[in-house]
Amino acid sequence: TIAKVQGKFSAQFAHGGLFLDATQGGRTSIDVISVLGQVTKTLQANISAGHNWIPMTDMSAGKYIIRVRQGSFSQVLRVEIK
């Protein structure tokens, strides 16, 4: 399943990972939230401006919300892993 968000990030979840195209680099926080509202995983990454790949292959089947934050900017993706 592919989901996209727009803004400072162009994010796409596919092939077991998160592709991030960022307009600026910096410390980025990624939260994976279950449909029950529980944060099941939190990642911290320093990404660069441009294309970035963050593997997330250890996620179980289900529906999730992935929140990507950098500074005061935040975007949300909805994904389903089958």
Side-chain angles (χ1 to χ4, degrees), residues 1-5 11-14 18-19 76-80:
T1 300
I2 297 174
K4 293 183 179 182
V5 294
Q12 181 178 6
F13 186 90
L18 188 63
F19 294 97
V76 174
L77 294 247
R78 296 173 197 269
V79 299
E80 182 175 357

Side-chain angles (χ1 to χ4, degrees), residues 30-34 36-43 64-65 67 69:
I30 301 160
D31 295 319
V32 178
I33 304 163
S34 73
L36 300 175
Q38 297 175 309
V39 176
T40 60
K41 183 176 198 164
T42 298
L43 301 168
Y64 298 92
I65 295 171
R67 181 175 50 214
R69 292 181 289 173

Side-chain angles (χ1 to χ4, degrees), residues 13-19 30 41 43 52-59:
F13 186 90
H15 307 292
L18 188 63
F19 294 97
I30 301 160
K41 183 176 198 164
L43 301 168
N52 297 272
W53 163 254
I54 300 168
M56 300 179 80
T57 55
D58 60 345
M59 293 173 60

